[in-house]
Every structure is written in structure tokens, then in C-alpha cells.
Amino acid sequence: MQFDAFMTEIHQLLPSERIISDEFRRFAYSTDASFYRMLPRLVVLADTESEISDLLVLARRFQVPMTFRAAGTSLSGQAVSDSVLLMLTDNWSRLRIEPLGELIHLQPGVIGAAANKALGLYGRKIGPDPASIQACKVGGIVANNASGMCCGTRHNSYHTLQGLRLILPDGALLDTRDDDSVARFRISHAELLAGIDQLRKQLSANDALVARVRHKYRLKNTTGYGLNALLDYSDPIDILAHLMVGSEGTLGFIAEVSLVTVEDYAHRASAMVAFASLPHCAEAVALLKTVAVDAVELLDARSLRAVQHMPGLPAFSHNFPEKGGVLLIDVRGADLAALQRNIAQVEEALASVAVLDSTGFSTDQHLIDGYWQIRKGTFPAVGAMRAIGTTVIIEDVAFPIERLAEGVDRLQQLLDRFNYAEAIIFGHALEGNLHFVFTQAFDQPEEIARYRDFMAEVAHMVAVDLGGSLKAEHGTGRNMAPFVELEWGEDAFGLMKQIKALLDPSTILNPGVIINDDPNAHIQHLKTMPQADELIDGCIECGFCEPVCPSKGLSLTPRQRIAVYREMARKERAKEPVSAQWEAQFAHLAVATCAATGLCEERCPVGINTGSLVLKIRAKNNQPYRWLAQLLARHYAALAGWTRAGLMLATGAQRLLGAQRLEDWSSSLRRWTGQRTPLWLTTTPGRAKPIYARNERADPGASDTVVYWASCVSQSMGKSVADDRQAIPTAVRSVLKKAQLHVVYPQPTRGLCCGQPFHAKGHEAIAERMMNEVLDALWQVSSGGRYPVLSDTSPCSLQLRAQASKRGIHLYDSSEFIDKFLLNRLHINPVADKVAVHVTCSAQKQGLENSVKRVANRLTPNWVQPNGIACCGFAGDKGFTQPELNASALKTLAPQVSQCSFGVSTSRTCEIGLSKHSGLTYYSLFEVLDKQSKIFPKLTSES
């Protein structure tokens, strides 16, 4: 390996900001969902196909190994490296759908759920449906041949592949969908194609091996290379394309893939059916294979006990036989009649087996969602209750259906014998595919030995005794590489080695994955999970949080923040020095650039809010400034007044000097001061007039009375010099007047703050005191919670909601207040233009996304919600103090809303950044409602 020469050349190829060589970021970026940890010597961010091609040429010339990474949700060690880790930038997230939706073209950076969202307009979806589909990317889905609960083998990547673009280790590009590209490749790589054809003939001449390959792929199987491609296709081009599926980045880079889509039936029913024994479950599964079912999931008794805390669990689960099992059955249909026919088939099939109990089939979406949340909750349930310092491992095997019950029984025996008492078994029973989840420590030699011996016995039992597959859908990785020959035998493994040697003769692509002659490869480079902080010790580093994190393209993601924090905690306990560089980078990349909105918690399978850790760190760092925070809190009315005065002066300066010029000057000042000064944006609001309202006590017997609490933000910020907005309280009071509602206000109307600004800086005690002051005032003015309270700013509503509910105060955010109380009291003239809708992270955390959408449907029926933007990253004042965060989070916004006339949201500060980075003006829902509504005629006549 000539790594230094490689480094010299790569700096001529890529800009320095996309070549990561410092240890802190290399460690942060190295983490993935597996239980392996390898520290790459270099992390490279690639933008284009030409860059990938050039990088591969360099890697081959200098013999530098390279590993590709998309989302890093793989579980078996496919996406870690101690050499070069090549990661994809956001430039790899384009997709294109053919007119009828039957074919979709996807770059490897597209998240699986985003593909399905785009296909939803056509009533279709991609075939693979892994449990990580909200986070995993197409590159990983195809490279691992991931499947899932519903796709089985019929709709996996291999069987839905129409063609792909790939870059081989020699840098050559082949597009199997392009006749000209194929023709050129047949000439330039004739020897390679001849070698593939020879492998096809070699396999076809071995009748026993052909039979073995056919048997293995009747099961779900991702162990080793896809030898079925050598039997299913005769053209070496087609064979090559299908060998890439499931190759885990060891044969080439998949630059684009075209997948045939499948129908996504809207009509659905689910049932949970209980059996006294697992053999009865297996008998039922065999019968269900013959009828029209969409999915059949098995949960053993231990799985049910692990999720006893979850709502919606059937009553029969609370007194369940130790050896029993449950089948969660999902049935779909193109219409209601088809659905009922399919349900009848299932019920007829089950009539001949000994059913212990059943919920019966339900078409209630709420119940169905509850059943499937229970199924999805099994893995995180084990992860959440594991001992600190252990990791959670999920293994993935498949048995022939006729041996499913035996496989479950023997797995349980092995788990008991090796003292994995917490382990559970569940899986995709229709395909004989089972997952077993257990917790494991890797910090002691005896624990590593226990895992080694356990896996050796599992491998022999599954692959040899029962003729199953060791990896059904999670890919071989480093985890199962030592057992590939055991499963497949010498002849098949020899073919796989030949495939690797033919396509990657220099062994530069992901060495050690799939093909690995080291029998102990699976117990090397094991990731420890040291205790760090109770807030994040439960993290399993799955990466589900990453797609919604606004800093994911700028600094670190929640998973990466936790990984480096754990490592720093480990070093501290081991008395190892933490370098000043690590400390400085952690302060900026992990703490300062975190929005701390906690949206990651909504995606985390074990409910971790990484923002809470960041706030805890900020509280410690800001302790010296506590006196200042207390002073500002005591004189908050004065502070709000100074803020309004400052905004008024700034508006004058913008008008005098020009808004853009003022922003440019503040940007220059920010550079000169090393990013220590805030950025003044052209969309920064001017001053608003605060509410002045008399101290009025509502009559407890009065009707049509509401309490309006205007946040300090909405009382301070009005229109900017660049827009035609009005102050939010002006719009709110106008709308309430049209709705003929009597409005009362908490006293004082100014100076009340929910404490959110102090909470964001880590001053939790001060924030709590201010919140209680607001709640005391709201309790009094609402006649002890009799009247509904309108809060006009989503972050403030979120800050108050939990405690308000405990006090019996009925507090509503703006979207839900409009939805519940105003839509039926006003005559609304909907906006005809296309409008951009941003659902703030604080609205999402309150569960108000559907409420926002219902209001948008009435106000602006032709609305769009930009993809890939869960949080705008403005985060109160981050848009001023860390404007790079806001810019990075919204970098894809402008092109997605270019056809829109304006935007709407429910947070005044978020709207500053949204307006800045979209080129549109973003209004509050109340401003749009005010413009588009008038007094409802019926109410007028009644009055």
C-alpha cells in the first residue's frame, strides 16, 4: 500500500473540505449500525461518478483499500474500514419515475422511504421494505439485497432489478440500460465478460451444485455472492448486473439503479393470531403460504413479554403459554371486495389448525398501526433494557418452512444454553426468516469467547443441520464471512472466490467482507459501548435519527455525537488524554451546531433525544453566565422592549443602507471575528407592537370565550423591509373577531415567556420558573382550565404543553386551534396558487403534522411539502449565531418551492430562515387565514 502517494494524488482530485483526515471526524464518521468499529485512515466525500471513477483508479494504482458507505444502517460490518471510507454527499439523491410509475430510477443516496413517498402518487412502492426504510438508502438496499416484512424473495432488489449504472474497480463505467454503453463495454472488457461466461458454464456443468444453488435461493439468502445470477441469466452483462446485487460494495460501485415497482394496495386488514406452541405456528404458516397474504410475522412468547408495556397488545398476551407464539397476519386488496376475499381465504386456512386465540381481522388503521408498532417494537425493547456497556445484536437466519418450528425450538435451546436469557425470536415467518435479538458485552475475553462459541453452534445448526441460510436479508458482512464456506460448501465458495478475483483482482474493494479466510474475523474490531451518560447510554447507533437531523450535512448527526461522546468518556475513565483538538471540535461540531430540537427522538427506536445531552453540556458550559441569565429573566419585559427597540433601529438601518448590504457587512464582520458575531439577515423582522389588553376576568359561565397567549417572539417581531407581513397578534385577533369569539388575555400581556430561550442555553431551572409563571397566568385567566388557550408559536406550545396538560389547561398550538375551533366558524376563500408548507419540528413533536395538513387543505389546497427537510435548523437564534446550520438544513429548499407563491409555517423564527433560503415570503397560518376568511354568514344572522 502506498498511502502517502495516494494522499498526494487525492488532494489534486478533490477539494480539501471533502477529504477528512483529522482523527475526531474520522472516528465520528466511522460509526455504523453494526457491532464493529474500525477507524479509517481517511474519509472521502464523493460528489460525482467521475470522482468515484478517478478514486478507484488511484486506489487500484496505489493498492489502497476502499469501502463505500451510504446510510450506514447495515448490521453486519459491511460499511466500516481501516483504510479509506468513501461516503456519498447529498448530490446522490435524485430519482426519476417512468410515467405509469411501474419503473423508478434511483441514485444510491435516495432514502428508501423517499422513493416510496414519490411512488405513492401512483399507488406503487419499491419491492424491498427493510425495517430501516426510513433511514437506509438505495445504495445499501441493493448492495445488501435487503428485503423486509412484505417483499419476501419475489420482490427483493435482485428480482425487481431492471438495470443499473456501475463503476468497476478499474474505473470503467457500464450502464446496462444503455445499448451504446453495453456495446462499448463488450469491446473494452471482453476478457472480463468471457470470464463471467466461463463461471456460468462451470456452474451449469455441476449438477449437484446447480441443485444446491436452486435450493438455497428458494429461501431468503444473502450469504455470499448471488450465484443464482449464473443460472438465471445467460448474457454476461445481465449476470454482472445481478452479481452486483448483494455484493456489499466488494465488486464495484452502484451509481444508479432501475427497479420495477410493485402495487401498494390501499385496502388492508391485520390480525394477531395466538397458538399454544410454535409447531402449531409453523403448521399455520405452511398453510398460509398457499393463500393471498401480504405478510406473516412470528413473535415468540419472549417477544410478547418484551413489549408488554406497549399499547394495543391483545389481552390474550398477558397470560401466554411459555412455548406459545403469535402470528401477525397482514392482508391487502385492490378494493374492498378483493380484501374480503383474501381475508376469507386466510380464515379458511386457519380453520384447520389449533388456534388458541385471535383478535380477528381489523381494517381500523389505528388498530393496524398498533399491531405493527408492537412488532417493530420488539428489537428496540431489548435494546432499551440491555445492561449498560452491552450492545444489542440482531441475527438473521432462514429455514425451510417445513423445518421452521424445529429451527425456532433449537434456537431457543442454544440461547438458553449460552445464557442469553433476554433474547427474543421474531421474524418473517412466511419465508422461514427469523431474527433473534440478544445483548452482548465485548469488553472481556470471556464474553467474546461466549459469543464466538455461540455463533459457531448457530452456524452449524442453521446451515448444516437444517439446510438454512445464515444471512437471509442483512448481508454477509464481516459477521458471517468466516462461515460462508460452511454454508455453501467448497465448490460454491470456490466460485465466489473466482468472482471476486475476476472483478476485483487487486482486492481493493471492501476487503474482508464476504470473502475472508480468517476464521476469527467476526470477533475482531468489536465495538464496545462504554457508559457515558444515562441520557444516551441506550443508543444502539442504528442511525435511524440521521435523516431528520438539520446538521447532518454540516457537522455531526445524533449518532455521531453520541459515538464521539462515548469515546471521550471512555478515554476519561481510562485516564487517557483527550486532545485539545478533540475538545475544540466537539465544542463546535457536536454542541454549537446542534439545533437541540430533539426531532431525533421521534425516529429513535429507543427514544433517545440527543438534544437533551447537548443541552446538559451547554448547561455545564454556561454555568459562569447563570447570573446574567437570571438578570435577564427577572427583567424580561425590559429585555423584550430592548429587543423591539433594536429591531426598529435595524429596520431603519436596512432602509437607509440597504438590507442586502447590511447582511453582507455583518457576514464580513462574522468572518473577521472568527464566527463570534451573529449574522444579520435580510429577512430579519422589524418591530411589532406588543399587545396591550385590560386585565379582564372571564365569566365562568360565558360561552364562545378563548384565551389568547401571544408569545414574546410574536409580540416583538413584525414585518421585515423585504415582505408584506403583519404582526402575528394582529392577524390572530382579527381572525378571532371574525369568528365572533370573546378573547381574554393573561396578565401581564407583556413580559411573559415560556422559558424556551433559556432552555435552549441549558438554564433549565430559570426556564422552568418562567414557564410556571406563564402557566399560573393561563390557569387564572382560563377560569381554572375552563376555556381553551391559543398559543401562537409552535416552539412555545411545545415548551408548555406537557405541564399545561398536567394542570388541566387545554392549550392548543395555532394549527390545532384553527383546525378545532375556527374552520367551521369562518367562510374561507382558498388560495389557488401553489404554496409551500413547512411543518416545524416543534409541531411534529406535538403530533400536529396532520392538523397542519388539514388546515392547509382548507386554506391552500394546492400545497407542497418539500422532501428531506424535517427541521429548518433555525432553532430560535441559531439562524443568527450559527447561520451555516440553517443554510445547510435548507440547501434543497429553493428548487423544491420555485413554483410556489409563498410559504406557511407556525414559528416566527423558523419563517425568517425559510424566507431567506427559499426566496419566498413565509407567513403564519393565521396571517393567511386572516387574508382568506370573512365572517361566516350563518353566525352573522344568528348574532
Side-chain angles (χ1 to χ4, degrees):
M1 184 193 301
Q2 304 173 53
F3 194 81
D4 291 340
F6 176 82
M7 282 289 289
T8 300
E9 292 280 348
I10 200 175
H11 276 282
Q12 304 300 316
L13 177 65
L14 298 174
S16 59
E17 61 267 21
R18 290 199 275 117
I19 302 172
I20 313 300
S21 58
D22 62 273
E23 186 188 42
F24 179 87
R25 286 186 293 167
R26 285 189 288 121
F27 186 92
Y29 293 174
S30 71
T31 192
D32 77 341
S34 75
F35 50 93
Y36 296 95
R37 168 87 67 201
M38 299 175 77
L39 182 64
R41 295 184 68 177
L42 192 69
V43 176
V44 178
L45 306 179
D47 255 351
T48 64
E49 287 181 356
S50 63
E51 288 180 357
I52 298 284
S53 180
D54 291 343
L55 286 166
L56 287 173
V57 170
L58 288 180
R60 194 175 191 184
R61 188 202 310 170
F62 297 113
Q63 293 296 290
V64 174
M66 185 172 291
T67 296
F68 304 124
R69 163 82 67 84
T73 59
S74 53
L75 295 162
S76 302
Q78 299 95 318
V80 294
S81 171
D82 58 3
S83 180
V84 175
L85 183 63
L86 192 150
M87 301 176 67
L88 303 182
T89 67
D90 290 340
N91 285 353
W92 295 89
S93 55
R94 290 187 292 276
L95 61 82
R96 179 169 53 88
I97 301 174
E98 295 293 330
L100 297 178
E102 295 175 350
L103 187 67
I104 187 169
H105 310 284
L106 299 154
Q107 288 190 308
V110 176
I111 293 175
N116 283 342
K117 182 177 179 181
L119 287 167
L121 298 172
Y122 303 86
R124 303 187 72 83
K125 61 181 180 179
I126 60 173
D129 63 332
S132 59
I133 198 165
Q134 293 288 339
C136 66
K137 295 180 178 179
V138 167
I141 290 173
V142 176
N144 289 292
N145 197 20
S147 47
M149 288 183 280
C150 298
C151 90
T153 56
R154 185 162 53 108
H155 293 147
N156 62 16
S157 297
Y158 179 91
H159 286 109
T160 58
L161 181 70
Q162 190 265 350
L164 49 73
R165 283 173 70 87
L166 65 95
I167 303 174
L168 294 176
D170 63 359
L173 173 68
L174 168 64
D175 191 332
T176 67
R177 308 159 302 179
D178 182 338
D179 291 342
D180 290 340
S181 177
V182 170
R184 290 192 299 270
F185 192 82
R186 289 189 192 279
I187 296 171
S188 63
H189 288 71
E191 186 176 345
L192 171 65
L193 295 177
I196 291 174
D197 192 53
Q198 179 58 39
L199 292 177
R200 179 186 66 83
K201 292 175 180 177
Q202 183 179 334
L203 174 57
S204 299
N206 187 334
D207 291 341
L209 188 53
V210 168
R212 183 163 183 78
V213 171
R214 293 297 187 199
H215 163 72
K216 298 294 286 184
Y217 287 105
R218 276 193 287 269
L219 307 175
K220 288 175 77 172
N221 192 332
T222 61
T223 309
Y225 291 121
L227 296 181
N228 51 338
L230 298 171
L231 298 178
D232 295 342
Y233 300 94
S234 57
D235 187 335
I237 294 291
D238 292 329
I239 294 173
L240 176 58
H242 286 81
L243 281 174
M244 297 300 293
V245 178
S247 64
E248 301 176 31
T250 64
L251 303 180
F253 175 78
I254 300 171
E256 187 173 283
V257 64
S258 298
L259 298 178
V260 176
T261 63
V262 299
E263 287 186 281
D264 187 17
Y265 295 126
H267 298 279
R268 180 184 185 189
S270 293
M272 295 189 78
V273 184
F275 298 86
S277 71
L278 292 174
H280 288 160
C281 282
E283 182 184 351
V285 170
L287 293 170
L288 292 173
K289 286 280 285 186
T290 65
V291 298
V293 290
D294 200 61
V296 178
E297 294 291 299
L298 180 146
L299 295 90
D300 71 351
R302 292 179 180 178
S303 298
L304 289 180
R305 286 199 297 272
V307 293
Q308 283 294 313
H309 62 285
M310 296 187 68
L313 205 64
F316 59 68
S317 67
H318 298 294
N319 187 23
F320 202 68
E322 181 67 28
K323 297 294 184 180
V326 166
L327 296 181
L328 172 54
I329 304 171
D330 201 53
V331 179
R332 302 198 185 202
D335 52 41
L336 285 173
L339 178 66
Q340 291 301 325
R341 286 195 300 271
N342 293 339
I343 291 173
Q345 287 182 21
V346 171
E347 290 175 338
E348 183 178 353
L350 293 176
S352 61
V353 292
V355 172
L356 179 66
D357 211 330
S358 173
T359 63
F361 278 97
S362 173
T363 57
D364 184 311
Q365 193 60 49
H366 180 73
L367 275 177
I368 292 173
D369 289 344
Y371 293 159
W372 286 92
Q373 283 303 316
I374 290 167
R375 159 60 183 87
K376 292 176 182 178
T378 50
F379 173 42
V382 175
M385 67 183 184
R386 76 183 193 278
I388 294 173
T390 64
T391 189
V392 59
I393 296 177
I394 177 169
E395 285 295 353
D396 164 45
V397 299
F399 300 103
I401 286 294
E402 64 273 14
R403 309 202 73 172
L404 177 61
E406 183 183 359
V408 175
D409 185 54
R410 291 186 62 175
L411 266 180
Q412 286 180 327
Q413 291 179 33
L414 281 174
L415 289 165
D416 289 341
R417 179 149 65 90
F418 283 90
N419 198 30
Y420 292 112
E422 79 293 343
I424 63 172
I425 299 173
F426 61 88
H428 319 314
L430 209 59
E431 304 296 333
N433 175 197
L434 296 180
H435 302 313
F436 52 103
V437 181
F438 57 100
T439 63
Q440 175 71 57
F442 290 124
D443 56 349
Q444 299 294 330
E446 57 270 24
E447 280 297 296
I448 296 174
R450 177 170 71 127
Y451 173 72
R452 178 199 62 207
D453 296 343
F454 171 69
M455 287 307 300
E457 296 232 18
V458 167
H460 194 276
M461 182 268 289
V462 173
V464 179
D465 295 350
L466 300 183
S469 57
L470 292 170
K471 284 293 182 182
E473 58 181 4
H474 291 172
T476 309
R478 299 177 183 279
N479 184 24
M480 209 54 68
F483 304 101
V484 175
E485 185 172 8
L486 174 71
E487 174 172 337
W488 278 99
E490 184 178 353
D491 289 349
F493 189 58
L495 270 179
M496 293 180 186
K497 283 188 166 183
Q498 291 180 66
I499 291 170
K500 174 67 172 176
L502 184 63
L503 287 164
D504 182 21
S506 301
T507 319
I508 61 166
L509 291 187
N510 220 0
V513 170
I514 296 184
I515 304 296
N516 196 321
D517 292 327
D518 183 352
N520 291 318
H522 63 308
I523 55 171
Q524 296 175 7
H525 309 292
L526 296 169
K527 181 196 295 182
T528 59
M529 304 287 267
Q531 182 178 1
D533 190 284
E534 61 182 6
L535 292 172
I536 51 90
D537 282 335
C539 176
I540 55 179
E541 297 189 10
C542 63
F544 285 15
C545 56
E546 294 189 326
V548 298
C549 178
S551 63
K552 61 180 180 291
L554 175 69
S555 55
L556 299 183
T557 66
R559 169 168 65 173
Q560 293 163 352
R561 287 183 171 92
I562 290 172
V564 294
Y565 188 77
R566 277 176 166 161
E567 177 63 5
M568 292 170 72
R570 183 198 67 78
K571 288 185 175 184
E572 186 176 340
R573 279 197 307 276
K575 302 295 190 288
E576 297 177 20
V578 177
S579 70
Q581 184 186 35
W582 268 62
E583 295 280 8
Q585 288 183 287
F586 183 81
H588 177 66
L589 298 175
V591 179
T593 56
C594 177
T597 56
L599 200 56
C600 47
E601 182 181 14
E602 303 302 300
R603 292 290 186 90
C604 177
V606 293
I608 291 172
N609 182 344
T610 311
S612 296
L613 174 67
V614 170
L615 292 175
K616 186 174 181 179
I617 295 169
R618 286 179 187 166
K620 180 180 178 182
N621 294 343
N622 290 335
Q623 188 66 26
Y625 306 103
R626 181 178 174 80
W627 65 270
L628 178 60
Q630 290 175 328
L631 178 66
L632 294 175
R634 280 198 301 268
H635 304 285
Y636 198 79
L639 176 62
W642 298 337
T643 300
R644 285 188 287 270
L647 291 173
M648 182 176 67
L649 291 173
T651 299
Q654 285 180 312
R655 290 200 171 102
L656 180 63
L657 302 173
Q660 188 58 55
R661 183 176 292 126
L662 193 60
E663 180 177 319
D664 293 341
W665 286 354
S666 71
S667 179
S668 298
L669 180 62
R670 181 171 168 77
R671 287 194 299 272
W672 293 337
T673 59
Q675 317 300 315
R676 291 183 178 88
T677 54
L679 179 67
W680 191 268
L681 301 171
T682 54
T683 52
T684 302
R687 168 185 177 270
K689 293 182 179 179
I691 292 178
Y692 292 92
R694 65 181 182 274
N695 190 349
E696 178 184 1
R697 184 180 298 275
D699 178 358
S703 59
D704 294 338
T705 298
V706 298
V707 177
Y708 173 34
W709 175 57
S711 70
C712 52
V713 170
S714 62
Q715 291 197 68
S716 298
M717 295 182 174
K719 69 180 297 296
S720 77
V721 297
D723 61 43
D724 62 343
R725 297 191 61 172
Q726 60 179 319
I728 292 175
T730 303
V732 171
R733 293 197 286 181
S734 174
V735 168
L736 296 178
K737 183 177 181 181
K738 292 177 191 177
Q740 300 186 36
L741 292 170
H742 177 60
V743 184
V744 291
Y745 304 88
Q747 296 296 323
T749 51
R750 294 174 294 154
L752 285 177
C753 174
C754 67
Q756 173 62 25
F758 297 89
H759 168 75
K761 297 294 184 292
H763 298 296
E764 198 58 48
I766 297 172
E768 185 175 354
R769 189 184 73 237
M770 299 187 76
M771 176 185 68
N772 285 325
E773 289 174 358
V774 174
L775 292 174
D776 289 343
L778 293 179
W779 172 258
Q780 184 178 37
V781 77
S782 66
S783 293
R786 173 177 173 80
Y787 301 114
V789 177
L790 164 61
S791 169
D792 63 9
T793 303
S794 290
C796 303
S797 305
L798 177 62
Q799 178 76 356
L800 294 178
R801 180 176 289 273
Q803 290 302 316
S805 178
K806 289 180 180 179
R807 291 198 183 196
I809 300 171
H810 304 289
L811 184 138
Y812 298 88
D813 193 26
S814 53
S815 65
E816 61 179 335
F817 188 91
I818 294 171
D819 187 22
K820 187 176 181 67
F821 297 108
L822 298 180
L823 290 182
N824 61 349
R825 299 180 72 97
L826 296 167
H827 178 77
I828 297 171
N829 181 29
V831 177
D833 295 345
K834 184 176 286 189
V835 174
V837 172
H838 176 72
V839 184
T840 65
C841 48
S842 47
Q844 293 176 59
K845 292 202 70 175
Q846 294 175 82
L848 301 180
E849 192 164 5
N850 288 333
S851 176
V852 173
K853 291 177 179 179
R854 282 194 296 270
V855 174
N857 285 336
R858 287 288 303 274
L859 287 178
T860 60
N862 192 20
W863 60 272
V864 295
Q865 186 177 10
N867 292 318
I869 301 174
C871 173
C872 72
F874 206 92
D877 64 354
K878 288 291 183 186
F880 301 120
T881 61
Q882 297 286 340
E884 299 82 9
L885 174 61
N886 186 223
S888 179
L890 298 180
K891 61 179 175 288
T892 64
L893 176 62
Q896 294 192 70
V897 299
S898 59
Q899 303 300 313
C900 296
S901 296
F902 61 89
V904 294
S905 188
T906 57
S907 170
R908 186 63 183 93
T909 52
C910 295
E911 290 148 19
I912 300 171
L914 291 164
S915 298
K916 167 65 182 174
H917 295 289
S918 67
L920 307 176
T921 296
Y922 271 73
Y923 300 89
S924 72
L925 284 176
F926 268 105
E927 287 176 271
V928 180
L929 181 60
D930 187 30
K931 289 180 181 179
Q932 303 303 131
S933 66
K934 59 184 181 181
I935 296 175
F936 200 61
K938 183 178 180 181
L939 287 177
T940 304
S941 63
E942 286 179 352
S943 63

